[in-house]
Amino acid sequence: MAEHPDSGALSETYLQISPNILASFPKFRPPVDLYVFDPSVGRTGRYIRGGERLSRDGQAEVARYAEEGLLYLLRDDYRIYAEHLSRKLGLLLVEEGFQPQEVAEIFFIALRNRMAEFLNQPTEDTLEALRTDVAILAEYIWIDPGRVAFLTHTLERDYDLAVHSVNTMLIGLALYLRLTGGKVEKTVLISLILGLLLHDLGMVMVPKFIRDKERYLVRRDRESIERHIEAGLNMVRRLKIQDPIILECMDQHHERLDGSGYPARRFDGGISTTGRLCAVADSFSAIVGDRPHRSARDTAEAVRMLAGDGKRYDQALTALLAQVMAERVTA
Ligand SMILES: [Fe+2]
Ligand SMILES: [Fe+2]
């Protein structure tokens, strides 16, 4: 028997399962242990173990408990339920019981999966699904920009294109909120989030063995990689994306202040703020990711590397990056 979840949905130990949350689980086989609060004895006991099958009557009973606010799960199980909730992101805006680090994890899973689907099949349908989740994230951040501190803690180390895209987006978003002091417009947030997510879209056209090399590239490999900019822009044009923020992020994230970048070898003022911001976020996310030929560097080292490279990276932004990384929150 566990303790009474006296503060209801805000309990430290339990998360109350509303009918909406319950609906995100498979009906007859809940993925997590379910607990029921018994008001007559003031205690919470386990109803069923995760993965066990509920009978039809059991299912109806569980649905009733949820209606009455008596159904709970353990917060410690959140990695399991996060997978399920990531398919119903809108719940994060209406349910009040989630803790910010749970929400951050659920957003990460959802966006990584949506991004992987879109990269796999970049069509209007998968783009629409991605856009829907991006709008929910924008709303969530717009309500309270301070929430981004939890999101930047969820970066993953894998160097998979979907993970890299989400990591880049979270860092870029945090930078942007710092830069603007949190005074942001929702539509701009949506565009920036999409731009950061899509920055490397054209990479799907580059053979993976060349993408993974990074070092010891022969000239032909380098040209092939550099073409990911044009390839990505062509792909979004076909998807009828014309938003300048998205296009700048895709077009300029490899431009460097000293003119050593690509594709247009722009200098200083020729690179927009969005382009500079995407460059810092993208490079940081690449450095902290695991690559086939080297393991990931830690975040403090990544910040030092970029802050020490004032010739190529905007130092006002790398200073903000240092602040963002210092203020990440885990709990
Ligand atoms: Fe790129
Ligand atoms: Fe990138």
Side-chain angles (χ1 to χ4, degrees):
M1 282 286 174
E3 286 178 59
H4 174 201
D6 47 7
S7 49
L10 297 174
S11 157
E12 285 290 305
T13 316
Y14 297 99
L15 171 71
Q16 193 175 57
I17 308 179
S18 69
N20 277 333
I21 295 179
L22 187 65
S24 74
F25 298 155
K27 219 169 169 188
F28 289 103
R29 214 180 280 281
V32 287
D33 295 1
L34 299 184
Y35 289 80
V36 170
F37 177 63
D38 180 348
S40 64
V41 290
R43 290 194 158 234
T44 305
R46 186 161 57 209
Y47 181 86
I48 186 173
R49 277 186 188 280
E52 277 177 22
R53 191 178 161 78
L54 283 167
S55 65
R56 190 167 292 273
D57 288 348
Q59 199 275 325
E61 192 170 55
V62 163
R64 218 164 35 244
Y65 284 136
E67 289 286 345
E68 291 164 12
L70 301 175
L71 193 66
Y72 291 85
L73 53 74
L74 286 179
R75 288 203 177 271
D76 283 349
D77 283 340
Y78 83 90
R79 273 171 215 282
I80 309 172
Y81 66 79
E83 280 287 344
H84 292 270
L85 292 173
S86 70
R87 285 173 224 130
K88 285 203 152 198
L89 268 195
L91 282 179
L92 300 181
L93 298 176
V94 293
E95 295 281 342
E96 291 181 347
F98 296 114
Q99 288 174 352
Q101 65 271 30
E102 294 170 333
V103 175
E105 183 113 0
I106 295 166
F107 269 122
F108 194 96
I109 294 169
L111 291 166
R112 184 195 59 205
N113 292 345
R114 290 278 183 241
M115 208 45 222
E117 280 162 19
F118 176 67
L119 292 170
N120 210 10
Q121 219 171 6
T123 62
E124 287 186 20
D125 286 349
T126 50
L127 178 63
E128 205 41 51
L130 182 66
R131 251 188 222 282
T132 305
D133 282 0
V134 163
I136 294 169
L137 174 64
E139 175 80 23
Y140 180 76
I141 289 296
W142 182 79
I143 291 169
D144 176 4
R147 289 167 163 174
V148 80
F150 292 91
L151 288 162
T152 45
H153 200 85
T154 59
L155 305 178
E156 281 187 8
R157 295 292 177 164
D158 286 0
Y159 201 88
D160 154 280
L161 191 48
V163 170
H164 168 69
S165 305
V166 178
N167 283 349
T168 304
M169 181 275 285
L170 294 175
I171 295 298
L173 176 61
L175 274 178
Y176 181 72
L177 294 169
R178 274 262 149 200
L179 188 66
T180 53
K183 290 186 193 69
V184 288
E185 280 182 35
K186 230 184 287 180
T187 50
V188 176
L189 273 186
I190 293 175
S191 301
L192 185 73
I193 294 171
L194 272 171
L196 287 157
L197 284 172
L198 300 185
H199 78 278
D200 267 343
L201 175 60
M203 276 292 189
V204 298
M205 309 300 271
V206 179
K208 192 167 176 337
F209 75 95
I210 296 179
R211 261 194 266 159
D212 287 346
K213 268 197 211 168
E214 193 179 286
R215 255 190 242 164
Y216 313 119
L217 290 170
V218 295
R219 192 163 148 216
R220 206 179 36 213
D221 295 342
R222 199 175 296 281
E223 285 169 0
S224 164
I225 288 191
E226 293 190 3
R227 273 200 297 272
H228 81 277
I229 304 291
E230 193 51 38
L233 290 169
N234 286 337
M235 289 167 79
V236 295
R237 259 179 229 125
R238 279 198 293 277
L239 290 164
K240 303 180 193 79
I241 291 178
Q242 288 167 340
D243 186 322
I245 296 180
I246 299 178
L247 299 180
E248 270 173 26
C249 212
M250 297 180 73
D251 188 29
Q252 298 185 15
H253 69 276
H254 287 290
E255 297 291 0
R256 298 292 178 257
L257 300 182
D258 62 357
S260 63
Y262 64 86
R265 311 220 176 279
R266 295 167 194 260
F267 282 86
D268 284 311
I271 311 173
S272 68
T273 305
T274 307
R276 292 161 186 237
L277 186 142
C278 291
V280 171
D282 173 45
S283 297
F284 177 85
S285 151
I287 296 168
V288 301
D290 266 325
R291 299 304 303 261
H293 57 270
R294 63 153 173 82
S295 56
R297 307 233 181 52
D298 70 32
T299 51
E301 194 188 345
V303 170
R304 269 198 305 276
M305 287 168 74
L306 297 176
D309 193 352
K311 275 194 186 146
R312 298 196 301 154
Y313 295 96
D314 186 322
Q315 293 301 280
L317 289 171
T318 58
L320 295 180
L321 177 68
Q323 292 175 20
V324 162
M325 295 319 289
E327 287 175 13
R328 293 190 300 165
V329 187
T330 45

